[in-house]
Amino acid sequence: MTWTVAPEPFDSPVAAALWRAYYTEVSDRWYLLHEGRRTAPEELEREVAARTGADLVPPGGQLLVARYGGEPAGSAGVRLLDAATAELTRVFLYEGMRGRGGAALLVSAAEDAARALGAARLVLDTRGDLVEARALYARLGYVETEPHNDDKYAEHWFRKELG
């Protein structure tokens, strides 16, 4: 089996399924940690509808989908924050696809997409409980920095010069 990564319309059925899976996982993890419950269906529907990914389209952004053996396996998005800075977002692999090298491949493709958009650096935020994500970004050369946004769920901010 081989990996491929290619641009995907933010509103395609594949992108919608990946966004729903991503949001369900990170939301459930937060609620289980802080409130001892999973995401309520109405909360999930509200947030999925509110965060469509419409900003992940050229010329200011890009959504990428990884496929493993031709089947959708994960996603990553980039969006320009200013002329030189892009934000990495929605990095996700279905649980059964993890540990096969797809996350690093997705992040590398997102870095290439950010460069193509004109960015010289990539920034991102994540939470403390997403230890796998923090380890991935550190392994790929991202350094922890001061906050670049005020997202209420962000606890760690990273940056990488794309050079």
Side-chain angles (χ1 to χ4, degrees), residues 37-142:
R37 67 174 178 91
R38 295 195 177 280
T39 309
E42 63 275 5
E43 292 168 319
L44 176 66
E45 294 309 318
R46 182 182 63 241
E47 291 304 315
V48 166
R51 299 172 190 244
T52 64
D55 54 347
L56 302 177
V57 297
Q62 185 73 69
L63 179 67
L64 302 167
V65 167
R67 288 177 168 78
Y68 186 73
E71 294 298 316
S75 65
V78 294
R79 61 178 157 239
L80 288 174
L81 299 179
D82 60 43
T85 308
E87 181 178 35
L88 179 62
T89 186
R90 295 193 187 193
V91 177
F92 174 75
L93 285 174
Y94 286 124
E95 188 174 359
M97 294 289 108
R98 296 173 189 163
R100 301 178 189 198
L105 185 66
L106 264 169
V107 172
S108 177
E111 291 170 358
D112 290 343
R115 283 185 198 94
L117 294 171
R121 75 192 55 81
L122 205 50
V123 297
L124 64 97
D125 65 66
T126 191
R127 297 191 324 241
D129 64 306
L130 300 176
V131 294
E132 307 91 340
R134 290 178 26 232
L136 171 71
Y137 300 131
R139 189 175 80 241
L140 297 177
Y142 288 78

Side-chain angles (χ1 to χ4, degrees), residues 26-44:
V26 298
S27 181
D28 279 354
R29 283 177 71 163
W30 191 89
Y31 279 118
L32 286 167
L33 179 66
H34 296 282
E35 297 184 13
R37 67 174 178 91
R38 295 195 177 280
T39 309
E42 63 275 5
E43 292 168 319
L44 176 66

